[in-house]
Amino acid sequence: MKITWIGTAAIRIEAAGERLLFDPFVQLAGGENPNCLEDFTGDETVFITHGHLDHLMEIPELLEGEEGEIRSDATVYCGSVAASTLDGMLEDAGQVVTVRPGDSIRIGAVTVKVWEGRHARPKRAAVKTLLSPRMGRYWRNALALAWLHRHFPEGGQTLLYEIRAEGKTVLLLGSMGLLPETDYPTGADLLILPLQGCDNPAKQAAQIVERLRPERILLDHFDDAFPPISRSVDTRPFKKLMDERYPQIRVAKPVAGKTIEL
């Protein structure tokens, strides 16, 4: 199984002859890991964890062919909120498949099970962002993001995907939150964990690890992808906390575009 982080929350998983793409996003001007739409156009199977713009915004362009027609070879799996957003943006949303917690999707020899997650809820971070001097430097981004945010709601619906293939299990979170009473699968070979979206990411991430107890962790969504609203997260406090509490669990901070093998 091969896994590639392509910046922000974009992950490509290659297993059993299949390619699955999760949450593609082209970073805005000034982004820490600049990429382009062509980085995603070869992927035919796309999964979306939730409807925020940095997870969903590129889908309309990815679904459109050269002449503006919907690609017949592409399928997008997402929750009902994200599907409703896409329905309002596409003339033909026939390639969009709505999934619900409990669903299992077979892609060749790969199985993807859908779980209900929860989006992280920052408190102080939003105030710090508005007062940041970067607002002046990236004011064009700020204006675009203010308009776009209203059109890409999360709507209280963030999904978690459990991917099984080649005898391996990967849990991919859309945001750093879990439902308190859900019995999530534990002991996955890899947990893909977004280290972003809350005031104390190290503490929040450690609580998730305590519940899920994965063998390994791959971080994502820690980079500054859409300044001035996003920020680069220092991953060292989380790594230090993990070394103290769970030294047996390996934590990897990936390099954008570099493939790792599981």
Side-chain angles (χ1 to χ4, degrees):
M1 182 181 289
K2 297 180 179 180
I3 300 171
T4 308
W5 176 61
I6 320 171
T8 324
I11 294 284
R12 178 180 292 116
I13 296 179
E14 299 172 82
E18 306 292 339
R19 283 166 51 115
L20 280 61
L21 177 66
F22 297 81
D23 292 345
F25 179 67
V26 176
Q27 298 198 353
L28 301 191
E32 188 175 340
N33 292 295
N35 54 2
C36 62
L37 195 68
E38 285 68 28
D39 291 327
F40 308 117
T41 52
D43 296 284
E44 299 175 359
T45 305
V46 184
F47 287 85
I48 302 298
T49 60
H50 63 280
H52 277 159
L53 64 94
D54 53 329
H55 298 253
L56 186 66
M57 188 172 73
E58 313 303 340
I59 296 302
E61 283 196 72
L62 287 176
L63 284 180
E64 291 182 353
E66 294 182 359
E67 298 180 0
E69 297 181 354
I70 295 296
R71 289 172 52 194
S72 60
D73 62 340
T75 304
V76 176
Y77 297 91
C78 60
S80 58
V81 174
S84 178
T85 299
L86 291 175
D87 187 56
M89 302 175 69
L90 298 168
E91 291 187 10
D92 179 4
Q95 303 306 106
V96 178
V97 178
T98 301
V99 297
R100 298 169 179 80
D103 287 352
S104 287
I105 301 102
R106 291 279 298 189
I107 311 294
V110 181
T111 300
V112 181
K113 185 174 181 181
V114 184
W115 294 82
E116 184 176 1
R118 174 178 287 177
H119 201 277
R121 304 294 181 190
K123 296 178 182 178
R124 298 186 301 272
V127 176
K128 290 181 180 179
T129 298
L130 292 174
L131 298 176
S132 169
R134 298 203 312 160
M135 290 293 287
R137 181 179 180 185
Y138 295 108
W139 64 269
R140 290 184 178 86
N141 284 358
L143 289 177
L145 289 165
W147 184 87
L148 287 166
H149 181 70
R150 295 183 294 117
H151 296 275
F152 288 91
E154 184 262 344
Q157 186 183 79
T158 292
L159 302 177
L160 182 158
Y161 292 113
E162 176 188 359
I163 304 103
R164 292 182 178 270
E166 300 179 354
K168 303 288 187 180
T169 300
V170 175
L171 291 181
L172 185 146
L173 272 65
S175 186
M176 215 164 24
L178 300 174
L179 297 180
E181 298 180 359
T182 297
D183 188 17
Y184 295 103
T186 59
D189 295 283
L190 181 68
L191 170 65
I192 299 178
L193 181 62
L195 202 68
Q196 185 83 258
C198 58
D199 299 320
N200 190 334
K203 180 180 178 181
Q204 184 83 0
Q207 292 173 352
I208 290 173
V209 173
E210 172 67 25
R211 289 186 64 182
L212 301 182
R213 296 295 180 120
E215 295 291 327
R216 297 171 62 182
I217 295 171
L218 180 72
L219 299 176
D220 73 344
H221 217 332
F222 54 81
D223 54 342
D224 187 8
F226 42 97
I229 305 304
S230 64
R231 62 190 178 94
S232 181
V233 176
D234 186 355
T235 63
R236 291 173 297 180
F238 174 64
K239 182 65 167 60
K240 180 180 178 182
L241 192 59
M242 289 296 297
D243 288 342
E244 294 171 354
R245 295 186 184 181
Y246 312 105
Q248 75 281 8
I249 300 177
R250 289 179 291 170
V251 179
K253 178 183 178 181
V255 175
K258 185 176 181 179
T259 299
I260 66 169
E261 294 199 22
L262 181 61

